[in-house]
Amino acid sequence: MTLSMITEGLLALLKQNHYNISTIRFYEREWSKIRRFLIGNYGNEEFDMERGLAYLEKQYSFVTKYNDGTLSQQRVQLLRVVHMLEDYRLHQVLTRRCHATRNPVKLNDYYSTIHDGYLKYLDNSGLAKSTLKHYQRISLDFLDYLAQKDVPAITDVDINLCNGYLTTMAGLSFKTVEQNVCGLRHFLRYLQESNVYENGIADKIHMPPISKKAQVPSAWKAEELQLLLAAIDRNSPIGKRDYAMIVLACVLGLRISDIKALRFSNFDWNTKTLSIVQQKTKKPLTLPLPDQVGWAVIDYIRDGRPKYDGTDVVFLKHMPPFDALSDNDHLEQRIIYHMNKAGIRRDKNRHSGFHSLRHSAASMLLEMETPLPVITTVLGQTDTDVTAIYLKTDIRKLAECVLSPEDLEDE
């Protein structure tokens, strides 16, 4: 398909989806540059992903900078341009690889009514907040896909349309694809339970045969954690907050969602314990509170936290109105900020968010020869097989630390 054919279709969809005029002009400028590149280098306007990446490399050294970890976030936006062209070439739809508040998905009345019913169903489902948000977004994207494909009614959905939707995720991570498969299944089951749609195809949709255990999470080395913590300015209020949150993650292995939800009542300073109900699993978890962690939290509450009594949430934004930290903000940028100060190099194969600190907590417990069932309990997991994903950094120690049935009987 030629670039002119692709951009003509995309332009109509951008306008149909109420994209801002300045955003459309940005895309049109990049399309013109790509057109000149194609004609100059290939003698025609035929477009595919390989040619798109060749353009990014020649124009912006995109691939080289991506591989050596020096690509700026501003340049990453340009990959969206190429992805959008390739997605339309393959699927003839405007895919939503990122969601901008200025260009929200707007469904027609028919699909909007179906989506509203699903949202009410989710509100009473008891699912974790993070899962709810994933399912809300996935169902919205799927209905938007159907609308763009001119599918007149939800009863016309078949396995081919579902597979077509899933193929628009080519190039995304296994985790992202898995979330979309789970979300799509959940939505289809809701439609069936609500008698909106009777074709039981939810169970026919399967993940590709890729094991989660094939992916080894990145973990921090002890010396890197020391450098990271030492780089934090603990004389500033935000520094005190970041330090306390980071030690909660790397020492206790708490998820960032649980750290952001901590309240004063979760801490028992007399018994030096921390008790929560986990956001993800809804299961209670009580952990001992080491002095290093306890004093970091106390230092923030006493001398760093805004003097604001409108909420008993421990960690707050440091700008008025001093709200609790957003559910959507995973605070990765705070880790990156302190990494840069500490001179810790980032690369594309390494995670740098709070979840990577959780991996490190598991690895440190393993180094201390903590039995695997104990590590599972500390991390708030329900299955040692899930915990094992965090511990693939040292299979030999993992094998040594697993309690045998005889050890369990002796306890």
Side-chain angles (χ1 to χ4, degrees), residues 366-370 394-402:
L366 182 63
E367 287 295 324
M368 296 162 59
E369 300 189 354
T370 307
D394 194 332
I395 298 299
R396 179 183 60 80
K397 284 190 180 294
L398 179 60
E400 293 174 358
C401 290
V402 176

Side-chain angles (χ1 to χ4, degrees), residues 120-287:
K120 291 177 182 177
Y121 173 80
L122 287 176
D123 287 341
N124 299 314
S125 66
L127 294 170
K129 282 185 178 180
S130 58
T131 303
L132 288 175
K133 290 192 174 181
H134 285 311
Y135 285 1
Q136 289 168 2
R137 179 189 56 75
I138 292 164
S139 58
L140 183 65
D141 285 350
F142 180 60
L143 291 173
D144 181 49
Y145 174 82
L146 296 180
Q148 292 189 58
K149 283 292 188 180
D150 294 322
V151 178
I154 199 72
T155 51
D156 294 324
V157 171
D158 57 17
I159 193 68
N160 291 326
L161 277 169
C162 294
N163 286 336
Y165 166 71
L166 293 174
T167 59
T168 65
M169 293 160 212
L172 299 180
S173 70
F174 176 86
K175 181 69 174 177
T176 300
V177 176
E178 182 185 45
Q179 287 174 343
N180 276 271
V181 169
C182 291
L184 181 57
R185 283 178 183 160
H186 192 272
F187 178 58
L188 292 172
R189 288 185 181 124
Y190 154 76
L191 293 176
Q192 189 173 2
E193 291 173 10
S194 305
N195 297 318
V196 177
Y197 176 70
E198 296 181 359
N199 191 340
I201 62 174
D203 295 330
K204 298 178 183 178
I205 301 172
H206 298 285
M207 277 297 295
I210 304 172
S211 171
K212 284 173 122 181
K213 297 180 185 180
Q215 295 187 340
V216 181
S218 54
W220 294 65
K221 297 177 182 177
E223 54 268 27
E224 291 176 330
L225 285 174
Q226 291 171 357
L227 286 172
L228 180 75
L229 293 171
I232 300 174
D233 179 11
R234 296 180 62 191
N235 291 317
S236 74
I238 292 180
K240 292 177 187 292
R241 182 196 68 187
D242 291 354
Y243 183 86
M245 296 181 76
I246 288 172
V247 295
L248 281 164
C250 67
V251 176
L252 295 186
L254 291 183
R255 299 180 181 91
I256 184 58
S257 57
D258 291 326
I259 294 173
K260 291 188 296 184
L262 285 174
R263 298 178 180 273
F264 296 135
S265 57
N266 293 128
F267 295 89
D268 189 327
W269 301 109
N270 293 321
T271 61
K272 293 186 177 180
T273 57
L274 173 63
S275 299
I276 63 172
V277 175
Q278 298 169 87
Q279 299 279 306
K280 181 175 182 179
T281 66
K282 303 300 182 184
K283 294 183 179 295
L285 176 66
T286 297
L287 297 171

